[in-house]
Amino acid sequence: MQVACTVAAPDGTQVRGLKQEDFHLMEDGAPQEIASFDASSTPARIALVLDASPSIYHELAQMRGAARALAGNLSPEDEIAVVSFSQQAHLLLPFSKNRALLDRALNSSDLARVENSSESNIYQAVFLTAQELFRGRTGRKAVVLLTDGQDSGLGLTWDAVSAQPRLGAAPARLAFDDVARELAADGIALFIVSTENRPRAMTAAWLRTHESQMLVTPEAKKLEIPHYTVYLAELARRVGGQLYFLREVGDLNEIYRRIALTISAEYTLGYYPSAGMAKAGWRALRVELVGGAKAPPGTQVVHRASYYVSAFP
C-alpha cells in the first residue's frame, strides 16, 4: 500500500528534504512499518480531466494555457494524459512525456467540440479515467479535474442516500460511492478546480471541522451551499483531495501552478498493512511527523484520510 503526502509550512510553502525516519504512519490507529520511501524521485502520472460541456465552454481557452503552465512546472519525466467530457468521455492523449503531443491534444478539435447535449457526466468521466488509465499502475498518480460540479448522470440530491448504490438497480449503474472507492483503492491524488464561486459558508475552517464526516447534511443545506459543490468537496474529503475555486484565486494558471508544485513535492510512503488485505472496506490513515523532523512549528501533513480495500481484487 502506498500513501502520498505533502508537508506544508504555515505560510503554505512545501517542506522538502525530509527523510523516511521523519514520518510516522498509522492504519486504523495501529502503527505501521514504512517499507519504502520516495521523495518525488519517481515520475508521476497526471490525468487532466476537462469539462467541455456548454456550461463552462468559455473556460476552455484559459484552460489550455493553464495546462501548459502545469506541464512547465512538472518534471520532464512526469507523464500527462488528457480526457475531455460532456455527455461522453473522450481520451485525447494517453499518458505521455511528449509535451508537443500535449499541445496537440489541448488544441484538438475534439476538446473544443461541445456535444449536442446539455448533459455533463462528471463522475462517470472521473471513474472511467481512474479505472481505464490508472488501474494496475504503480507510483505517484493524480487526477486534475476542471468542472463546475453540475453532474447530470448520478441523480445526486441533498439526500445522502442518493450517493449510494441503489437496491435493484442494474449492476452497471454507477454511484457516487463507486467513484470514491475507485479513486481511494488506486491511491490516486485528486485535485478539483471548481469554476463556481466558493460558497460563503464553505470556508477552510468549516471543511477542517467536518473532515471526518459526510458533508451532505441538512446543516449544509441550511447554509445555502449548492449541493453539487458539496459533492465535489465530499469526493475530495473521502480520497484526501484538494478543492480550489477559480473565482477565488482568479487565475487558472496560478491554480495549476500550485497543483504542479504540490505534486512535485510529494512524499510516498509504502507499507504492508499489518491487518492484511483480506477484509474489504474503508481503512483510516494518519501520517504524522515525528519529533525532531526539520520542519517549522505548525507544519501540516496533507494526505488522504482513508483508502478502500475491494472485495474483488
Side-chain angles (χ1 to χ4, degrees), residues 34-308:
I34 299 175
S36 63
F37 178 79
D38 179 8
S40 300
S41 59
T42 302
R45 292 185 177 94
I46 301 101
L48 302 181
V49 182
L50 309 169
D51 192 335
S53 62
S55 60
I56 67 165
Y57 179 73
H58 58 282
E59 307 291 350
L60 289 181
Q62 186 182 6
M63 177 279 304
R64 289 188 177 94
R68 295 187 183 98
L70 180 140
N73 283 282
L74 293 171
S75 164
E77 295 303 309
D78 292 336
E79 298 183 20
I80 302 176
V82 180
V83 176
S84 70
F85 71 91
S86 51
Q87 184 178 18
Q88 302 292 331
H90 305 277
L91 177 62
L92 304 184
L93 178 68
F95 284 119
S96 174
K97 293 184 288 187
N98 189 322
R99 301 309 190 233
L101 291 180
L102 173 63
D103 279 343
R104 190 178 304 172
L106 294 173
N107 287 308
S108 166
S109 59
D110 288 334
L111 178 57
R113 176 173 57 84
V114 178
E115 297 178 45
N116 186 24
S117 171
S118 60
E119 294 188 11
S120 179
N121 291 320
I122 300 167
Y123 296 106
Q124 180 186 65
V126 172
F127 180 82
L128 291 174
T129 298
Q131 191 173 65
E132 300 297 329
L133 293 184
F134 288 103
R135 180 68 65 85
R137 294 183 182 269
T138 59
R140 298 184 296 130
K141 299 173 281 189
V143 164
V144 180
L145 170 65
L146 174 69
T147 183
D148 62 3
Q150 299 188 52
D151 178 71
S152 308
L154 301 191
L156 297 172
T157 70
W158 274 112
D159 184 352
V161 174
S162 68
Q164 302 172 5
R166 300 176 188 178
L167 294 176
R173 182 179 176 85
L174 186 68
F176 180 88
D177 285 359
D178 297 324
V179 182
R181 289 172 180 173
E182 183 69 26
L183 289 166
D186 286 344
I188 300 170
L190 177 65
F191 301 90
I192 303 172
V193 182
S194 169
T195 59
E196 299 287 284
N197 294 315
R198 178 189 286 273
R200 183 172 299 177
M202 189 179 277
T203 63
W206 185 84
L207 290 170
R208 283 195 300 271
T209 301
H210 297 80
E211 64 184 3
S212 61
Q213 62 191 71
M214 177 74 163
L215 296 177
V216 183
T217 63
E219 174 204 0
K221 183 177 182 180
K222 291 178 182 177
L223 293 173
E224 298 184 345
I225 303 175
H227 81 279
Y228 54 85
T229 302
V230 172
Y231 275 103
L232 289 181
E234 175 62 17
L235 186 61
R237 183 193 72 83
R238 292 199 195 184
V239 304
Q242 297 185 39
L243 175 59
Y244 301 84
F245 290 90
L246 176 58
R247 304 290 178 244
E248 181 178 54
V249 178
D251 185 349
L252 191 56
N253 284 34
E254 173 60 20
I255 294 175
Y256 274 26
R257 187 188 72 85
R258 294 180 189 180
I259 292 172
L261 292 176
T262 297
I263 293 172
S264 65
E266 277 184 338
Y267 299 95
T268 304
L269 314 179
Y271 73 103
Y272 298 97
S274 58
M277 301 293 284
K279 185 178 179 181
W282 289 95
R283 300 187 185 182
L285 293 169
R286 185 168 182 80
V287 180
E288 300 173 339
L289 294 180
V290 301
K294 294 181 180 180
T299 292
Q300 290 187 330
V301 182
V302 181
H303 62 91
R304 54 177 170 149
S306 60
Y307 74 97
Y308 187 78

